[in-house]
Amino acid sequence: MQGEPTEPAASSGDMPLIKVSALRKGTVIDHLVAGTALKVLSILGIRFEGAVTIGLNLESGKVNRKDIIKIENREITPEEVSKIALVSPRATFSIIRDFNVVDKFKPALPPVIDNLIHCPNPSCVCNDSRVATRFKVERTDPLKVRCHYCERSLKKEEVELL
Ligand SMILES: [Zn+2]
């Protein structure tokens, strides 16, 4: 294919094709679990310096659905990647510069997560603001973590990010 750098059009059944122009510079977060894009946006905050394109519930293979986010002029930080991995463990990240993918990776959750997850146990020592929370990852997908201090175990849907 020659000419303008565009990505393959996304189609959804009989809906008209939607063309999304390629990013010159920024981050593409693909293969987000369908329904998690807005949560991911809230993780990223509103520090955007360019266009943000969001695709919700797009076809991904024959049966699956996914969300996708394209963020212009912003490269994602390792801390943001870890948070997004907690929400959507199979997400893929592509860093774009001059229309080229210069880095593409899937996040790997570390065995221990410091200061990202809130412990819902009110008597847990980590709810003292001087103590950073610490959770051990017991299972990645579906996510299961355990508080290092009070041993409270949390499933994916119970995880609340700080
Ligand atoms: Zn705890």
Side-chain angles (χ1 to χ4, degrees):
M1 293 282 275
Q2 300 277 318
E4 286 287 296
T6 52
E7 295 182 18
S11 75
S12 175
D14 295 318
M15 296 291 285
L17 296 177
I18 302 163
K19 271 205 168 175
V20 180
S21 59
L23 276 182
R24 174 189 289 279
K25 179 171 172 283
T27 303
V28 177
I29 311 172
D30 199 357
H31 299 102
L32 289 166
V33 174
T36 58
L38 297 180
K39 177 120 193 165
V40 170
L41 279 184
S42 77
I43 289 168
L44 295 172
I46 51 167
R47 294 177 294 114
F48 296 121
E49 289 163 22
V52 177
T53 312
I54 304 165
L56 299 177
N57 215 30
L58 304 176
E59 281 180 8
S60 175
K62 285 254 184 284
V63 289
N64 294 320
R65 297 263 165 186
K66 66 174 184 180
D67 291 352
I68 182 167
I69 302 175
K70 300 183 185 195
I71 308 160
E72 194 178 44
N73 296 337
R74 165 120 178 245
E75 289 185 13
I76 202 145
T77 67
E79 189 194 32
E80 289 167 338
V81 168
S82 301
K83 285 189 177 182
I84 292 166
L86 288 171
V87 172
S88 215
R90 288 180 209 162
T92 58
F93 295 78
S94 301
I95 307 297
I96 317 283
R97 288 181 203 147
D98 286 327
F99 298 110
N100 291 312
V101 177
V102 295
D103 195 11
K104 182 165 186 171
F105 55 92
K106 285 175 185 258
L109 278 179
V112 173
I113 298 172
D114 285 330
N115 225 7
L116 278 184
I117 301 173
H118 167 72
C119 181
N121 175 1
S123 54
C124 180
V125 64
C126 73
N127 280 313
D128 180 327
S129 57
R130 287 167 300 176
V131 180
T133 73
R134 166 167 286 199
F135 279 82
K136 288 172 276 186
V137 176
E138 296 196 329
R139 196 175 59 207
T140 308
D141 189 12
L143 183 69
K144 192 174 165 212
V145 295
R146 188 178 295 277
C147 179
H148 171 70
Y149 299 104
C150 72
E151 305 263 288
R152 170 90 54 112
S153 147
L154 300 178
K155 289 186 210 144
K156 181 177 188 286
E157 55 274 14
E158 297 167 320
V159 167
E160 200 182 304
L161 300 178
L162 288 171

